[in-house]
């Protein structure tokens, strides 16, 4: 896959209004993540003053209903090159649907995503939505998708946000380790490896029932199911 500035992915952030009483937003968190990602890349590869001033590492869009989300997902991303895109949804959730001004069922979400071919994975920062049934519906109906991640149970806003940021930090920059002499970042090859590592370095991910569902040759696998099975054996 061709990369721009060394980044394998771009993250498209889609946020719904949470409610009329609160003004939480994930935007500043991802802005900081972008700054940290660029800093890590520069330290690893040497500071370069000739790097392009614009890069589509992140984009941010607010949506309210099915039509708005569909239009946002279809936007052309300048500077994306051939990198795979990840759609991150920040919204309320419940069994079988995510919530904006209007609810969007997993079936309608699947139908919106079905024609799109540039998205590598979905990360749903929503309570209660991502269980095995939801993952199987989305992966079966959208053959280009490789993985779907999110939470099976209710998740406190801040704890969920920290979990989301840790996942993307590891995916984009790798795991930070400090040997005796010099700090380094060990990269990850696959998103499912990132999810498995989360249970070790961010144990709240397990308590929140965060899971990444991905395709294997035989079935749809769950990182949380694999982790719990390994612990029990």
């Amino acid at each position: 896959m061709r990369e721009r500035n060394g980044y394998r992915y771009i993250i498209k952030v889609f946020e719904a209004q949470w409610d009329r009483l609160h003004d939480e937003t994930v935007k500043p968190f991802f802005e900081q993540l972008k700054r940290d990602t660029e800093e890590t890349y520069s330290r690893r590869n040497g500071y370069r003053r000739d790097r392009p001033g614009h890069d589509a590492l992140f984009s941010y869009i607010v949506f309210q209903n099915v039509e708005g989300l569909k239009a946002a997902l279809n936007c052309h991303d300048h500077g994306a090159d051939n990198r795979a895109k990840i759609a991150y949804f920040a919204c309320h959730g419940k069994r079988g649907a995510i919530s904006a001004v209007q609810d969007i069922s997993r079936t309608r979400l699947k139908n919106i995503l079905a024609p799109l071919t540039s998205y590598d994975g979905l990360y749903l920062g929503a309570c209660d939505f991502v269980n095995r049934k939801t993952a199987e519906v989305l992966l079966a109906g959208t053959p280009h998708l490789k993985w779907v991640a999110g939470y099976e149970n209710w998740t406190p806003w801040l704890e969920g946000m920290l979990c989301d940021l840790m996942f993307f930090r590891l995916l984009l920059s790798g795991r930070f380790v400090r040997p005796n002499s010099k700090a380094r970042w060990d990269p990850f090859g696959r998103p499912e490896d990132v999810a498995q590592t989360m249970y070790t370095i961010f144990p709240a991910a397990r308590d929140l029932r965060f899971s990444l569902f991905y395709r294997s040759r035989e079935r749809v696998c769950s990182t949380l199911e694999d982790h719990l099975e390994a612990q029990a054996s």
Side-chain angles (χ1 to χ4, degrees), residues 151-203:
Y151 304 94
E152 184 178 355
N153 291 341
W154 177 81
T155 303
W157 194 93
L158 187 56
E159 284 83 348
M161 188 75 256
L162 293 173
C163 188
D164 302 345
L165 290 174
M166 181 61 71
F167 175 86
F168 287 116
R169 176 60 157 168
L170 292 171
L171 182 68
L172 293 170
S173 298
R175 182 176 182 177
F176 178 73
V177 292
R178 191 184 296 277
N180 293 333
S181 58
K182 188 176 181 181
R184 71 169 189 269
W185 296 85
D186 287 342
F188 287 92
R190 305 180 304 170
E192 53 265 38
D193 296 332
V194 174
Q196 285 288 357
T197 302
M198 290 276 291
Y199 304 127
T200 302
I201 68 174
F202 191 75

Side-chain angles (χ1 to χ4, degrees), residues 85-99:
K85 293 190 289 187
I86 297 171
Y88 169 82
F89 299 93
C91 54
H92 288 300
K94 55 187 177 182
R95 301 294 180 202
I98 57 174
S99 300

Side-chain angles (χ1 to χ4, degrees), residues 133-161:
K133 175 64 175 177
T134 293
E136 289 177 346
V137 167
L138 293 176
L139 289 172
T142 51
H144 59 281
L145 283 179
K146 296 179 182 178
W147 56 269
V148 175
Y151 304 94
E152 184 178 355
N153 291 341
W154 177 81
T155 303
W157 194 93
L158 187 56
E159 284 83 348
M161 188 75 256

Side-chain angles (χ1 to χ4, degrees), residues 13-90:
V13 178
F14 304 95
E15 183 168 32
Q17 181 179 350
W18 295 96
D19 57 48
R20 295 181 180 179
L21 301 177
H22 300 84
D23 59 356
E24 293 99 340
T25 175
V26 303
K27 187 177 182 181
F29 291 90
F30 278 92
E31 288 173 343
Q32 184 61 48
L33 179 63
K34 179 176 182 178
R35 288 190 289 269
D36 286 353
T37 302
E38 291 175 341
E39 175 73 11
T40 301
Y41 176 82
S42 296
R43 286 182 177 275
R44 179 186 294 156
N45 296 279
Y47 288 91
R48 292 172 49 194
R49 295 184 179 181
D50 60 341
R51 291 177 61 200
H54 170 73
D55 185 74
L57 177 60
F58 293 107
S59 64
Y60 174 82
I61 300 172
V62 175
F63 73 96
Q64 294 185 329
N65 51 33
V66 172
E67 290 75 20
L69 180 58
K70 183 176 181 180
L73 283 162
N74 280 278
C75 285
H76 176 70
D77 297 292
H78 296 284
D81 298 330
N82 292 330
R83 289 174 296 173
K85 293 190 289 187
I86 297 171
Y88 169 82
F89 299 93

Side-chain angles (χ1 to χ4, degrees), residues 65 79 93 110 112:
N65 51 33
K110 175 201 70 175
I112 294 172

